Every structure is written in C-alpha cells, then in structure tokens.
Amino acid sequence: MAGLGWERWASAGISPADLPDGWGWKLTRPSGRGLGDDTVDYVAALRDGLTVPIEEQPGVLLRRRKQPWHRAAPHATDSSYLPFVTDFPFGLWIITFVASGDEDRKGRNWHQKIWRRVPAWWALGPQGRTAAALIARIERATWQEILSMRRSYDRAWPPGYQDRAWYEAADLAASADRGTPRSALWPALIRHAEGALERAARSHGKRIRAFSDEQKTVAFAAAALAVEDLSPDLARRLLGPLRLSLGDAHAWPVPSWADWNRGEAGQLL
C-alpha cells in the first residue's frame, strides 16, 4: 500500500530505525491503561506532563544502577526495534527512561517519560494497517468462511503443484532481519493470524488442526504482509488462497484501535 507503510513515520518526524539513544516504545491497552498488572493511565501522564515510576516487578521499583531497557516492563523495549507485540488490541507510545530525583541509599529510581502516542499499526510492520485489518477480519470469520479457506488453498495451488513463495519469502525476511529474534516481524504476524483463526473457530464451537489448509491460508497471508514492501510478487502469490476465499485484504477496514492518529500532544524532541 504505497504511502501507508513505514514511510509515513518520516512525515511524522519519527524514524523507528533511528530513534535517539535512550528512546523507545511502549505498548498499552487502546484506552491508554497499562497491560497486565500495570494500572497506569498513560493518557493522563502525557496530558499532565508526569513521569511514571518503573516497577521491575509489582511493588518493586527499578533502581537507577540497573539497565532499564530489558528489566523495566515486559512491554518496554530497546529503541532500535519495535515492541514484540503479544496483546491485541493495543496502543503504542514513544517513551524515554529518566532517573528520578528521589535518591536513597539504594540509588535513584527509573521513571518513564511519555512523549507521544502514535498509531498502533506502526508496530505491525511496513504493511501494518493491512496486517491489523487482516487479523481483525480473520477473527470475525464465519465457519463457512473458514471452510472456504480450506478449499481455496487447494484451488490456489492444486495437488502436485507447490508454489515456493513461502520458502523464498522466509529467506527474504531473514535477509532483511525480519525473521530473527531481534526483529521478529515474520513469525509474529504469522502467530497472530493463526491466533485470530483459532479464536474465530472457538466462537463457533470448532477447533483448527495444526497445519490444516485453513491455517496455512492465513499464515501465508500474514507472511505476505511481512515482505510485501520488499517483493510485491511474492506477496501476491502468498495472498492467493486468502484472496480466493475472503477477497482482497488491502480493501478491508483498519480497526479503529490500530489507526489511532491523534497523538499530536507532546513532542518527540
């Protein structure tokens, strides 16, 4: 989707690949409340210009002497890559870690400063808007639509014919550092698409078998969106089964939680 990928970050004056040292990303609920046992209202923190103490674990503040990036909260990550998304839906924020002034014999505490809320689809890769739409659409699938995914897999690639797009795309994702633990966009999108399919099936009292044709259909579609900006032809081939069953994923509406675009309060620098 030309004009709707990571290049939009540049127009916002933000580059996720080149944030200043010490800057990073944080995931919250769409409401701005923290995930899990984090009850902080990050909307209020941004509005009021407040910093938020970081707890290494519930009730235990993170001390200044410790490195915060991987010890702070499970949803706060290094500035050189985006959060490893584990929760849907979610909100996305730009933060820095700052040392507080409340020093005692154990040292000062780390706090988070909330600078700006940004559209959550940014955490889903270059085709993040389509990825969010894909996950939302799969989650709403009827059982008949799931069965159509099963049939469309064989229609796209009849028995005896194997499209090698999956292997080519996996190699491309790895070469672009999108399939590694440090930048896990490829496996993350696939896992979330498969999770959405499982939730859809459960809503109809059904289960999805591992490596079933319907599961492969959604996995191939998610993989397509991880590399579409690098190879549109590979993406087109990978999206083939889903297109036959549900249509063009690029035409689906982006869920409102992912397309939040009102994060103008605060400044980056």
Side-chain angles (χ1 to χ4, degrees), residues 70-91:
H70 299 294
R71 308 253 341 225
H75 309 288
T77 62
D78 197 336
S79 61
S80 59
Y81 61 103
L82 279 165
F84 189 74
V85 178
T86 57
D87 298 84
F88 276 86
F90 61 91

mmCIF file of all heavy atoms in Angstrom, residues 70-91:
data_model
loop_
_atom_site.group_PDB
_atom_site.id
_atom_site.type_symbol
_atom_site.label_atom_id
_atom_site.label_comp_id
_atom_site.label_asym_id
_atom_site.label_seq_id
_atom_site.Cartn_x
_atom_site.Cartn_y
_atom_site.Cartn_z
ATOM 1 N N HIS A 70 15.720 -3.828 29.311
ATOM 2 C CA HIS A 70 15.188 -5.183 29.326
ATOM 3 C C HIS A 70 14.734 -5.600 30.724
ATOM 4 O O HIS A 70 14.342 -6.735 30.927
ATOM 5 C CB HIS A 70 16.232 -6.167 28.789
ATOM 6 C CG HIS A 70 16.629 -5.883 27.374
ATOM 7 N ND1 HIS A 70 15.754 -6.018 26.325
ATOM 8 C CD2 HIS A 70 17.781 -5.442 26.831
ATOM 9 C CE1 HIS A 70 16.357 -5.678 25.190
ATOM 10 N NE2 HIS A 70 17.582 -5.334 25.479
ATOM 11 N N ARG A 71 14.751 -4.662 31.687
ATOM 12 C CA ARG A 71 14.374 -5.003 33.043
ATOM 13 C C ARG A 71 13.165 -4.210 33.501
ATOM 14 O O ARG A 71 12.650 -4.447 34.590
ATOM 15 C CB ARG A 71 15.534 -4.700 34.015
ATOM 16 C CG ARG A 71 16.841 -5.313 33.589
ATOM 17 C CD ARG A 71 17.318 -6.478 34.351
ATOM 18 N NE ARG A 71 16.794 -6.715 35.654
ATOM 19 C CZ ARG A 71 17.554 -7.042 36.680
ATOM 20 N NH1 ARG A 71 18.873 -7.074 36.536
ATOM 21 N NH2 ARG A 71 17.015 -7.354 37.822
ATOM 22 N N ALA A 72 12.742 -3.264 32.692
ATOM 23 C CA ALA A 72 11.678 -2.371 33.136
ATOM 24 C C ALA A 72 10.339 -3.083 33.131
ATOM 25 O O ALA A 72 9.948 -3.698 34.093
ATOM 26 C CB ALA A 72 11.638 -1.126 32.259
ATOM 27 N N ALA A 73 9.638 -2.991 32.035
ATOM 28 C CA ALA A 73 8.344 -3.653 31.907
ATOM 29 C C ALA A 73 8.440 -4.599 30.718
ATOM 30 O O ALA A 73 9.234 -4.371 29.802
ATOM 31 C CB ALA A 73 7.246 -2.622 31.673
ATOM 32 N N PRO A 74 7.684 -5.676 30.690
ATOM 33 C CA PRO A 74 7.784 -6.602 29.563
ATOM 34 C C PRO A 74 7.366 -5.982 28.247
ATOM 35 O O PRO A 74 7.642 -6.537 27.195
ATOM 36 C CB PRO A 74 6.824 -7.737 29.954
ATOM 37 C CG PRO A 74 5.901 -7.132 30.958
ATOM 38 C CD PRO A 74 6.708 -6.109 31.684
ATOM 39 N N HIS A 75 6.727 -4.830 28.295
ATOM 40 C CA HIS A 75 6.255 -4.189 27.070
ATOM 41 C C HIS A 75 7.084 -2.955 26.712
ATOM 42 O O HIS A 75 6.715 -2.199 25.840
ATOM 43 C CB HIS A 75 4.786 -3.826 27.211
ATOM 44 C CG HIS A 75 3.950 -4.972 27.675
ATOM 45 N ND1 HIS A 75 3.648 -6.051 26.870
ATOM 46 C CD2 HIS A 75 3.398 -5.242 28.871
ATOM 47 C CE1 HIS A 75 2.928 -6.920 27.544
ATOM 48 N NE2 HIS A 75 2.764 -6.451 28.760
ATOM 49 N N ALA A 76 8.212 -2.743 27.386
ATOM 50 C CA ALA A 76 9.113 -1.648 27.037
ATOM 51 C C ALA A 76 10.351 -2.270 26.396
ATOM 52 O O ALA A 76 10.911 -3.221 26.917
ATOM 53 C CB ALA A 76 9.498 -0.862 28.277
ATOM 54 N N THR A 77 10.783 -1.736 25.263
ATOM 55 C CA THR A 77 11.857 -2.385 24.514
ATOM 56 C C THR A 77 12.928 -1.386 24.118
ATOM 57 O O THR A 77 12.776 -0.180 24.242
ATOM 58 C CB THR A 77 11.312 -3.040 23.235
ATOM 59 O OG1 THR A 77 10.756 -2.021 22.407
ATOM 60 C CG2 THR A 77 10.254 -4.063 23.550
ATOM 61 N N ASP A 78 14.022 -1.925 23.609
ATOM 62 C CA ASP A 78 15.145 -1.117 23.138
ATOM 63 C C ASP A 78 14.685 -0.188 22.021
ATOM 64 O O ASP A 78 13.773 -0.494 21.273
ATOM 65 C CB ASP A 78 16.239 -2.054 22.628
ATOM 66 C CG ASP A 78 17.568 -1.345 22.500
ATOM 67 O OD1 ASP A 78 17.561 -0.118 22.349
ATOM 68 O OD2 ASP A 78 18.600 -2.025 22.561
ATOM 69 N N SER A 79 15.350 0.952 21.901
ATOM 70 C CA SER A 79 14.925 1.944 20.918
ATOM 71 C C SER A 79 15.221 1.525 19.487
ATOM 72 O O SER A 79 14.745 2.146 18.560
ATOM 73 C CB SER A 79 15.625 3.279 21.207
ATOM 74 O OG SER A 79 17.027 3.119 21.111
ATOM 75 N N SER A 80 16.017 0.481 19.289
ATOM 76 C CA SER A 80 16.416 0.118 17.937
ATOM 77 C C SER A 80 15.419 -0.806 17.246
ATOM 78 O O SER A 80 15.606 -1.154 16.100
ATOM 79 C CB SER A 80 17.800 -0.545 17.958
ATOM 80 O OG SER A 80 17.778 -1.701 18.768
ATOM 81 N N TYR A 81 14.383 -1.219 17.920
ATOM 82 C CA TYR A 81 13.358 -2.019 17.270
ATOM 83 C C TYR A 81 12.037 -1.865 18.010
ATOM 84 O O TYR A 81 12.001 -1.439 19.158
ATOM 85 C CB TYR A 81 13.751 -3.487 17.177
ATOM 86 C CG TYR A 81 13.992 -4.187 18.501
ATOM 87 C CD1 TYR A 81 13.040 -5.042 19.046
ATOM 88 C CD2 TYR A 81 15.172 -4.007 19.202
ATOM 89 C CE1 TYR A 81 13.255 -5.693 20.250
ATOM 90 C CE2 TYR A 81 15.404 -4.658 20.411
ATOM 91 C CZ TYR A 81 14.447 -5.495 20.927
ATOM 92 O OH TYR A 81 14.658 -6.133 22.114
ATOM 93 N N LEU A 82 10.963 -2.212 17.323
ATOM 94 C CA LEU A 82 9.634 -2.020 17.875
ATOM 95 C C LEU A 82 9.246 -3.141 18.825
ATOM 96 O O LEU A 82 9.861 -4.200 18.827
ATOM 97 C CB LEU A 82 8.617 -1.921 16.734
ATOM 98 C CG LEU A 82 8.559 -0.530 16.089
ATOM 99 C CD1 LEU A 82 7.817 -0.606 14.773
ATOM 100 C CD2 LEU A 82 7.898 0.459 17.009
ATOM 101 N N PRO A 83 8.226 -2.924 19.636
ATOM 102 C CA PRO A 83 7.853 -3.954 20.613
ATOM 103 C C PRO A 83 7.462 -5.268 19.966
ATOM 104 O O PRO A 83 6.920 -5.303 18.869
ATOM 105 C CB PRO A 83 6.648 -3.335 21.334
ATOM 106 C CG PRO A 83 6.764 -1.873 21.088
ATOM 107 C CD PRO A 83 7.395 -1.722 19.739
ATOM 108 N N PHE A 84 7.753 -6.349 20.647
ATOM 109 C CA PHE A 84 7.294 -7.667 20.226
ATOM 110 C C PHE A 84 5.853 -7.785 20.707
ATOM 111 O O PHE A 84 5.587 -7.990 21.881
ATOM 112 C CB PHE A 84 8.169 -8.745 20.853
ATOM 113 C CG PHE A 84 7.905 -10.119 20.309
ATOM 114 C CD1 PHE A 84 8.337 -10.459 19.040
ATOM 115 C CD2 PHE A 84 7.232 -11.070 21.051
ATOM 116 C CE1 PHE A 84 8.112 -11.716 18.522
ATOM 117 C CE2 PHE A 84 6.999 -12.339 20.546
ATOM 118 C CZ PHE A 84 7.447 -12.654 19.279
ATOM 119 N N VAL A 85 4.908 -7.607 19.799
ATOM 120 C CA VAL A 85 3.505 -7.482 20.156
ATOM 121 C C VAL A 85 2.951 -8.827 20.625
ATOM 122 O O VAL A 85 3.059 -9.827 19.932
ATOM 123 C CB VAL A 85 2.687 -6.959 18.956
ATOM 124 C CG1 VAL A 85 1.224 -6.873 19.318
ATOM 125 C CG2 VAL A 85 3.204 -5.604 18.515
ATOM 126 N N THR A 86 2.385 -8.842 21.817
ATOM 127 C CA THR A 86 1.775 -10.065 22.340
ATOM 128 C C THR A 86 0.298 -9.867 22.665
ATOM 129 O O THR A 86 -0.394 -10.842 22.957
ATOM 130 C CB THR A 86 2.497 -10.530 23.615
ATOM 131 O OG1 THR A 86 2.473 -9.465 24.592
ATOM 132 C CG2 THR A 86 3.950 -10.884 23.319
ATOM 133 N N ASP A 87 -0.182 -8.645 22.638
ATOM 134 C CA ASP A 87 -1.557 -8.360 23.041
ATOM 135 C C ASP A 87 -2.306 -7.657 21.916
ATOM 136 O O ASP A 87 -1.780 -6.746 21.284
ATOM 137 C CB ASP A 87 -1.581 -7.473 24.291
ATOM 138 C CG ASP A 87 -0.928 -8.139 25.480
ATOM 139 O OD1 ASP A 87 0.305 -8.071 25.606
ATOM 140 O OD2 ASP A 87 -1.653 -8.738 26.287
ATOM 141 N N PHE A 88 -3.541 -8.066 21.687
ATOM 142 C CA PHE A 88 -4.439 -7.400 20.740
ATOM 143 C C PHE A 88 -5.768 -7.171 21.428
ATOM 144 O O PHE A 88 -6.270 -8.075 22.103
ATOM 145 C CB PHE A 88 -4.656 -8.282 19.504
ATOM 146 C CG PHE A 88 -3.585 -8.161 18.468
ATOM 147 C CD1 PHE A 88 -2.438 -8.917 18.547
ATOM 148 C CD2 PHE A 88 -3.717 -7.265 17.428
ATOM 149 C CE1 PHE A 88 -1.446 -8.809 17.604
ATOM 150 C CE2 PHE A 88 -2.739 -7.158 16.465
ATOM 151 C CZ PHE A 88 -1.591 -7.930 16.553
ATOM 152 N N PRO A 89 -6.334 -5.969 21.238
ATOM 153 C CA PRO A 89 -5.736 -4.789 20.607
ATOM 154 C C PRO A 89 -4.773 -4.090 21.553
ATOM 155 O O PRO A 89 -4.689 -4.434 22.725
ATOM 156 C CB PRO A 89 -6.957 -3.925 20.292
ATOM 157 C CG PRO A 89 -7.939 -4.267 21.353
ATOM 158 C CD PRO A 89 -7.746 -5.732 21.659
ATOM 159 N N PHE A 90 -4.072 -3.059 21.057
ATOM 160 C CA PHE A 90 -3.080 -2.393 21.885
ATOM 161 C C PHE A 90 -2.937 -0.944 21.455
ATOM 162 O O PHE A 90 -3.392 -0.542 20.385
ATOM 163 C CB PHE A 90 -1.731 -3.112 21.798
ATOM 164 C CG PHE A 90 -1.142 -3.139 20.400
ATOM 165 C CD1 PHE A 90 -0.291 -2.141 19.956
ATOM 166 C CD2 PHE A 90 -1.449 -4.174 19.527
ATOM 167 C CE1 PHE A 90 0.249 -2.166 18.683
ATOM 168 C CE2 PHE A 90 -0.924 -4.215 18.241
ATOM 169 C CZ PHE A 90 -0.076 -3.202 17.815
ATOM 170 N N GLY A 91 -2.301 -0.147 22.303
ATOM 171 C CA GLY A 91 -1.918 1.213 21.982
ATOM 172 C C GLY A 91 -0.403 1.293 21.947
ATOM 173 O O GLY A 91 0.279 0.486 22.579
#
